[in-house]
Amino acid sequence: MKIAIVGVSGAVGQEFLRVLDERNFPFDELVLFGSGRSAGKEYTFKGKKYMVKELKHNDDFKGIDIAFVSAGGSASIEFASTITKHGTVMIDNSSAFRMDKDVPLVVPEVNGEDAKVRPRNIIANPNCTTIQLVVALKPIEELSHIKRVHVATYQAASGAGATAMDELENQFKQIVNNEPVVVEKFVAQLAYNVIPQVDVFTENGYTKEEMKMYHETRKIMHSDIEVSATCVRVPVIRAHSEATWVETEKPISMEEARKAFSEGNGIILQDNPEKKEYPMPLHVAGKDPVYIGRIRKDISNPNGLSFWSVSDQIKKGAALNAVQIAEYLIKENAL
């Protein structure tokens, strides 16, 4: 088993190394790729040093079984044929191919089998907010078809990368030290603030991030589900939160919902309001599952259910999900 990480120097690339180590992923050889700026850097993994190779249009991917790619959409588009031409399975973290009909969009807990049919040898990793949402929706969908979802996201700085996390930390320091606040990665100061915009606005008034949640959820779940999202950036370093309202075809009781979530794949139920036990990003950062709490009947809709979820955007929302796709393919002998 020969694997590669493309974009190893970024936040998700570094998380790939940690996740592969934590899960003791089975491989015999590892190759690291990066931009011209990253080429020549060394990273230590499992006691061995690896030097980053510059990503080029050549035959460097010959013999590589799986490439975990997190180098941005433009790089994914430019190098996809180079990466896949010798049979490498490209698991791509960008949004470049997610809605292409001949590219499966996969969350293993929800639609792992889709990864087996990949005409272009590309599998797309969904958007972080979508991954978290569909993992939570799957157990409910199995009880009764979900007609519509309203979701408000509370997205950490980690969703915008390592430099964005640094910017948030620096903004807090700048405020404390009475220094000018530097804003580069976000549209406004994030420290002591929330920004009701993630990504750019589209013609219908929704942002691209919000429309990703609409389209990607329907594709992953093979469903006519209607999704309306409001995506908000909050001054949290790591781990996204989502407040979700679902409307199902048939009423679902609290007992049914709690049982479904407690048995759901990739889910930890943390729902004891009387003891103030519910998921929070402070405690979920660095963890693998999607945590769910604050489950309640929607008092405005007899077929409605409301709940709160938190998940680490860099782990389950990116690197971990991609590695789980690879694990699924290995387990199913589907490489």
Side-chain angles (χ1 to χ4, degrees), residues 36-212:
R37 293 190 312 276
S38 299
K41 281 186 181 177
E42 279 192 343
Y43 293 99
T44 302
F45 182 70
K46 289 187 177 288
K48 184 178 175 183
K49 288 191 174 180
Y50 294 88
M51 186 176 287
V52 179
K53 300 177 73 168
E54 184 175 355
L55 184 63
K56 292 182 177 179
H57 292 291
N58 53 27
D59 290 327
D60 279 348
F61 287 88
K62 195 170 187 179
I64 291 176
D65 297 288
I66 299 168
F68 299 104
V69 181
S70 184
S74 57
S76 290
I77 291 168
E78 181 183 349
F79 287 95
S81 58
T82 297
I83 292 169
T84 59
K85 69 179 178 181
H86 295 295
T88 301
V89 175
M90 174 180 175
I91 302 178
D92 184 55
N93 268 271
S94 79
S95 61
F97 307 109
R98 288 176 185 157
M99 297 313 299
D100 291 8
K101 288 184 178 178
D102 54 358
V103 174
L105 184 67
V106 177
V107 178
E109 296 93 333
V110 181
N111 66 327
E113 288 204 349
D114 288 1
K116 296 178 180 179
V117 182
R118 45 179 194 275
R120 292 160 62 186
N121 255 356
I122 301 170
I123 300 170
N125 214 33
N127 193 45
C128 51
T129 49
T130 305
I131 291 174
Q132 180 175 336
L133 179 66
V134 296
V135 168
L137 294 182
K138 173 71 170 175
I140 301 301
E141 176 69 21
E142 290 178 346
L143 294 175
S144 175
H145 176 55
I146 300 169
K147 294 168 65 178
R148 62 178 46 83
V149 172
H150 292 275
V151 57
T153 71
Y154 304 77
Q155 295 179 224
S158 58
T163 54
M165 291 188 279
D166 291 340
E167 180 170 305
L168 177 58
E169 288 185 330
N170 289 332
Q171 285 180 356
F172 282 121
K173 292 173 186 173
Q174 288 157 357
I175 291 167
V176 168
N177 294 324
N178 290 315
E179 297 171 356
V181 176
V182 177
V183 177
E184 292 176 345
K185 289 295 293 185
F186 302 109
V187 298
Q189 175 186 315
L190 185 57
Y192 299 112
N193 192 25
V194 297
I195 304 171
Q197 177 186 351
V198 179
D199 214 325
V200 298
F201 284 99
T202 64
E203 289 182 1
N204 65 2
Y206 284 79
T207 64
K208 277 181 70 177
E209 184 86 352
E210 291 157 357
M211 293 310 300
K212 285 176 191 174

